[in-house]
Amino acid sequence: MTGGQGRTPELPGQGAVPAAGQAIGIDGLYKSFGANKVLRGVDLSVATHEVICLIGASGSGKSTLLRCVNLLEPIDAGRISLWGREITGPGVDQNLVRRYVGIVFQAFNLFPHMTVLQNVTLAPRKALGTPRARAEEEARALLSRFGLDDKEAEFPDRLSGGQQQRVAIVRALAMRPQIMLLDEVTSALDPELVAEVLDVIRELAAAGMTMVIATHEMGFARDIAHRVCFLEEGRIIEDAPPAELFTEPKDERTKRFLRRIIAAGRL
């Protein structure tokens, strides 16, 4: 069903997402910034509980694709749907869509004047109307789950980069999203902090969270993804299970990219 003018698509209620089937559908997606054509006809289907990793050189369109799914960027042409309901038609409530689709960026984007607990509880209280006591209870449970229970009263500048990124992920999870988009969430971290963030993502995958992850961590993509998509110049060149894409890529452009990755010691 397509959302018409003045209407919002009938997305499933919180906790009522179908146990199977397509969670995200992207058909013929185009996006330009001025004369720069960033996405050039992207088609992608993501099943509920599936983990998709997007790989490719910087500038290949990975981040823009995620931002379009979360409606942070308007698309030029094509269609994006969640559970079969179009979200790129006119009259769609973008804030409602974002309750279902959380996004975490490479920059932590935490509010520096707020404590960890305040950062995590702000959106549930303001956007969902969650009472303060309940929001704080749920936030503390999430912080404890990801090893941050002793950091709730700290301000972001007192945390390591890895801890800040984990707080950013917890903040997104506090909105109880059904889909998580992760945009190069380890690229701003020192190498020794990468593992703690990747462990959080592994736990989310093991719990069945539907995720689309843009990453330069090839070993991580190989280990966690159900499918890996290689992007080049705004197109998905190859889409395959990691065991196939990393060992027997079919397209010469994928082979060329992986040769550079292997030469750099990143796979």
Side-chain angles (χ1 to χ4, degrees):
M1 183 184 71
T2 299
Q5 183 65 40
R7 298 179 61 191
T8 295
E10 297 174 3
L11 299 176
Q14 298 287 351
V17 168
Q22 185 189 73
I24 304 172
I26 301 173
D27 302 294
L29 185 59
Y30 286 81
K31 174 63 182 177
S32 298
F33 296 98
N36 183 20
K37 297 179 180 179
V38 180
L39 299 176
R40 305 170 183 240
V42 171
D43 298 308
L44 179 64
S45 177
V46 182
T48 300
H49 307 308
E50 192 172 27
V51 177
I52 304 293
C53 282
L54 309 177
I55 66 170
S58 297
S60 60
K62 304 185 300 296
S63 295
T64 299
L65 178 57
L66 295 184
R67 291 176 65 86
C68 287
V69 173
N70 197 244
L71 303 184
L72 292 171
E73 297 290 350
I75 68 174
D76 297 334
R79 180 179 185 271
I80 301 174
S81 62
L82 301 182
W83 303 287
R85 279 76 165 181
E86 184 178 357
I87 62 170
T88 43
V92 170
D93 184 341
Q94 296 182 350
N95 290 326
L96 176 61
V97 170
R98 290 173 190 147
R99 293 185 189 182
Y100 293 87
V101 185
I103 188 167
V104 181
F105 303 97
Q106 30 187 320
F108 316 129
N109 293 335
L110 299 175
F111 294 111
H113 63 291
M114 293 183 176
T115 66
V116 165
L117 188 64
Q118 291 169 335
N119 265 283
V120 174
T121 58
L122 180 65
R125 290 177 55 216
K126 299 297 185 182
L128 301 181
T130 306
R132 179 191 294 271
R134 180 181 165 195
E136 290 183 350
E137 179 184 0
E138 293 176 354
R140 288 188 174 105
L142 283 170
L143 291 170
S144 177
R145 175 181 171 188
F146 296 116
L148 295 163
D149 46 323
D150 60 339
K151 304 298 182 184
E152 68 170 72
E154 298 284 2
F155 289 90
D157 64 359
R158 298 291 300 272
L159 304 178
S160 70
Q163 289 168 339
Q164 290 187 62
Q165 192 60 285
R166 279 188 283 156
V167 171
I169 293 172
V170 166
R171 181 175 60 178
L173 291 173
M175 289 292 288
R176 300 190 293 278
Q178 310 294 353
I179 296 168
M180 284 285 282
L181 310 175
L182 303 169
D183 184 16
E184 304 286 5
V185 293
T186 60
S187 64
L189 300 178
D190 293 332
E192 64 269 20
L193 301 176
V194 169
E196 65 183 74
V197 175
L198 296 184
D199 285 345
V200 170
I201 302 171
R202 285 191 180 92
E203 179 173 334
L204 294 177
M209 176 68 75
T210 305
M211 290 190 285
V212 183
I213 305 169
T215 184
H216 289 300
E217 301 286 341
M218 298 299 141
F220 174 71
R222 181 181 55 199
D223 293 343
I224 195 173
H226 295 99
R227 287 163 37 223
V228 176
C229 299
F230 168 61
L231 280 75
E232 184 176 89
E233 296 182 347
R235 298 183 179 92
I236 294 180
I237 303 300
E238 196 156 348
D239 176 347
E244 179 180 325
L245 187 138
F246 285 120
T247 60
E248 298 180 5
K250 294 180 171 56
D251 193 281
E252 183 55 40
R253 289 165 291 185
T254 313
K255 295 176 182 177
R256 185 169 59 244
F257 172 78
L258 291 176
R259 283 197 294 268
R260 293 198 301 268
I261 292 297
I262 291 170
R266 290 165 50 197
L267 182 62

